């Protein structure tokens, strides 16, 4: 017997309670026979005014993630899609692996994280040099840079948008992101990456990828793509960039 709607797979999607982008983004990417089941990581929406404030906020997300994982596992999903990103980059490649291992031990099923998914997407494209944008503060961008460099990518430029509230991340306008992508682009860059799962970038990334003729990777696209492929679902999904459509 299989689930009537999720006859191919049930995905548990874990995201912060303040996040309004992950759920609609990943629902758009869902192929027939796959269903998404969202579990919220309880977190407040405080002001972040310093690097220290930002780290404290992401630490709170990390501390509450496992409760959200335990909650979603009661519907018996086949695989987890982790829709938070900053904490998945912390500590470089070893830290990312340890974080995933902790989640998988609690869940008893596999999981895709933002950090590993971005790296896998970049490798799929054959990119060597990258630039990236985040809604983070500089201290967290340094962790993203460390992870990418340890994953054998040369990081040329990065922009931390320094959003003051978690909910403010979803309010960053397309015009602002268009300007940031123009700043990040250059002949020295093979690919542009966006991290921060509450930053709405799926459509913007696809549009700029077509315009620039190089990969522009939104983290929500990369993470859901990684989950599908890791679970053996090879459907090609159009309209959201080359990653889902070609790889």
């Amino acid at each position: 017997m299989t689930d009537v709607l999720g006859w191919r797979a049930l995905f548990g999607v874990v995201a912060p309670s303040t996040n309004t982008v992950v759920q609609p983004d990943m629902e758009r990417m869902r192929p027939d026979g796959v269903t998404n089941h969202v579990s919220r990581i309880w977190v407040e929406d405080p002001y972040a005014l310093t690097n220290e404030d930002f780290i404290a906020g992401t630490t709170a997300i990390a501390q509450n993630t496992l409760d959200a994982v335990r909650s979603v596992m009661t519907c018996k999903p086949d695989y987890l899609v982790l829709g938070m990103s900053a904490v998945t980059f912390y500590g470089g490649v070893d830290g990312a692996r340890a974080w995933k291992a902790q989640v998988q031990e609690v869940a008893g099923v596999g999981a895709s994280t933002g950090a590993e998914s971005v790296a896998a997407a970049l490798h799929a494209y054959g990119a060597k040099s990258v630039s990236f944008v985040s809604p983070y503060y500089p201290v967290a961008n340094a962790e993203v840079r460390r992870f990418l460099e340890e994953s054998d990518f040369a990081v040329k430029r990065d922009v931390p948008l320094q959003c003051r509230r978690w909910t403010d991340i979803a309010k960053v306008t397309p015009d602002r992101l268009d300007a940031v992508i123009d700043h990040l682009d250059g002949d020295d860059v093979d690919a542009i990456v966006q991290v921060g799962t509450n930053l709405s970038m799926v459509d913007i990334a696809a549009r700029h990828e077509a315009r620039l003729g190089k990969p522009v990777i939104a983290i929500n696209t990369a993470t859901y793509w990684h989950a599908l492929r890791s679970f053996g679902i090879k459907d090609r999904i159009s309209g959201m960039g080359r990653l889902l459509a070609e790889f």
Side-chain angles (χ1 to χ4, degrees):
M1 295 290 291
T2 58
D3 189 278
V4 172
L5 297 181
W7 49 271
R8 298 171 77 188
L10 305 181
F11 279 178
V13 178
V14 181
S17 56
T18 52
N19 190 302
T20 57
V21 170
V22 162
Q23 185 170 353
D25 270 0
M26 294 187 177
E27 192 63 18
R28 291 174 60 199
M29 301 173 198
R30 180 181 61 81
D32 289 344
V34 177
T35 53
N36 297 332
H37 307 280
V38 178
S39 184
R40 296 286 180 167
I41 305 163
W42 185 88
V43 62
E44 293 181 347
D45 189 29
Y47 277 115
L49 300 175
T50 65
N51 282 318
E52 290 74 20
D53 292 341
F54 188 88
I55 290 296
T58 56
T59 299
I61 291 173
Q63 291 172 340
N64 293 332
T65 294
L66 296 184
D67 284 341
V69 169
R70 293 184 185 97
S71 178
V72 79
M73 289 310 301
T74 61
C75 78
K76 296 181 172 58
D78 301 296
Y79 196 84
L80 293 185
V81 189
L82 300 184
M84 83 296 288
S85 64
V87 297
T88 70
F89 289 96
Y90 289 0
V93 169
D94 287 344
R97 287 174 180 160
W99 171 253
K100 177 178 175 175
Q102 182 183 30
V103 169
Q104 291 186 149
E105 182 177 3
V106 169
V109 299
S112 290
T113 71
E116 70 170 341
S117 299
V118 164
L122 288 167
H123 285 305
Y125 278 110
K128 300 296 184 183
S129 59
V130 304
S131 59
F132 71 91
V133 58
S134 84
Y136 308 155
Y137 274 64
V139 65
N141 268 33
E143 293 290 335
V144 177
R145 177 182 286 267
R146 173 185 173 184
F147 174 87
L148 290 172
E149 289 176 345
E150 289 183 6
S151 301
D152 299 324
F153 303 107
V155 179
K156 300 299 184 179
R157 284 176 292 286
D158 68 277
V159 174
L161 295 174
Q162 301 188 60
C163 295
R164 292 192 171 186
R165 285 185 180 273
W166 297 136
T167 52
D168 286 345
I169 297 170
K171 299 172 185 175
V172 177
T173 66
D175 286 348
R176 174 72 175 112
L177 293 169
D178 287 344
V180 169
I181 290 173
D182 286 342
H183 168 75
L184 292 174
D185 189 29
D187 293 339
D188 58 340
V189 169
D190 296 332
I192 299 169
V193 172
Q194 168 262 323
V195 301
T197 62
N198 205 26
L199 195 61
S200 182
M201 274 284 292
V202 171
D203 291 331
I204 295 168
R207 173 164 53 82
H208 283 285
E209 182 171 75
R211 177 178 70 89
L212 297 172
K214 66 177 64 175
V216 182
I217 299 169
I219 194 165
N220 288 345
T221 306
T223 308
Y224 204 83
W225 164 82
H226 188 272
L228 289 171
R229 301 301 182 254
S230 296
F231 198 71
I233 295 172
K234 306 299 184 183
D235 297 43
R236 300 299 190 250
I237 302 167
S238 62
M240 289 172 280
R242 290 180 56 207
L243 190 63
L244 280 168
E246 298 180 18
F247 294 93

